[in-house]
Amino acid sequence: MAIERTFSIIKPDATARNLTGAVNALIEKAGLRIVGQKRIHMTRAQAEAFYAVHKARPFFGELVEFMTSGPVVVQVLEGENAVLKYREVMGATDPSKAAEGTIRKAHAKSIGENSVHGSDAAETAAIEIAQFFSGNEIIG
Ligand code: ADP
Ligand code: MG
């Protein structure tokens, strides 16, 4: 299996509850390595660009408000099958449907305030990583 990278965000509901370390522990327990990480406050423009694919969805405004409501931690994760593996570690979008042991089952507050983002494919991961990191900020 190939080593690949995925993009992660620890969302404002999680940073507000001081859960950065708890989320990172679950990421590392799954065998993923955090090879890039920084705490930022997303601008509205950054959030709108990042979630542009959801622009037509009824929750878009709420999502942008939420993602800019407090600090987030943006991350690059590396490992075998990292994209799919992280989606498994995150759990379902709706925490009431997330499996035991997943980040969202343990920590998410609702379908909107669901603690983490993870890329859905290798191509989107590359685009999302480039949106927030320059090459010299990722140290494998
Ligand atoms: P995921 O983050 O699991 O890939 P999506 O890409 O479908 O999920 O949605 C992006 C984000 O939009 C979700 O993580 C969540 O924060 C928000 N979201 C999705 N569906 C809803 C909804 N029905 N109501 C409010 N917010 C939502
Ligand atoms: Mg998604």
Side-chain angles (χ1 to χ4, degrees):
M1 250 180 295
I3 297 290
E4 64 180 9
R5 287 177 175 173
T6 192
F7 179 70
S8 163
I9 305 176
I10 303 178
K11 296 185 178 182
D13 68 286
T15 61
R17 288 174 290 148
N18 212 19
L19 292 171
T20 299
V23 170
N24 281 350
L26 291 172
I27 289 169
E28 292 183 335
K29 192 174 137 205
L32 292 166
R33 305 181 72 84
I34 301 164
V35 296
Q37 176 169 262
K38 57 190 174 185
R39 183 170 163 107
I40 63 166
H41 198 131
M42 263 196 210
T43 63
R44 171 166 292 272
Q46 277 178 312
E48 285 176 351
F50 183 75
Y51 279 120
V53 65
H54 294 306
K55 202 165 188 149
R57 308 284 283 277
F59 57 80
F60 181 71
E62 183 188 322
L63 179 58
V64 169
E65 279 302 313
F66 167 57
M67 292 301 290
T68 56
S69 68
V72 300
V73 177
V74 290
Q75 304 176 306
V76 181
L77 310 182
E78 187 178 85
E80 275 184 12
N81 250 337
V83 172
L84 194 62
K85 185 178 281 182
Y86 189 46
R87 293 297 306 193
E88 286 170 9
V89 175
M90 288 163 57
T93 309
D94 179 349
S96 71
K97 298 187 178 128
E100 280 303 326
T102 62
I103 295 168
R104 284 168 165 169
K105 175 71 176 183
H107 300 301
K109 293 172 75 175
S110 65
I111 193 170
E113 302 198 7
N114 59 5
S115 302
V116 281
H117 165 85
S119 309
D120 57 14
E123 307 79 66
T124 42
I127 293 165
E128 292 175 356
I129 289 168
Q131 249 176 294
F132 291 95
F133 287 90
S134 55
N136 63 5
E137 293 176 314
I138 305 168
I139 314 293

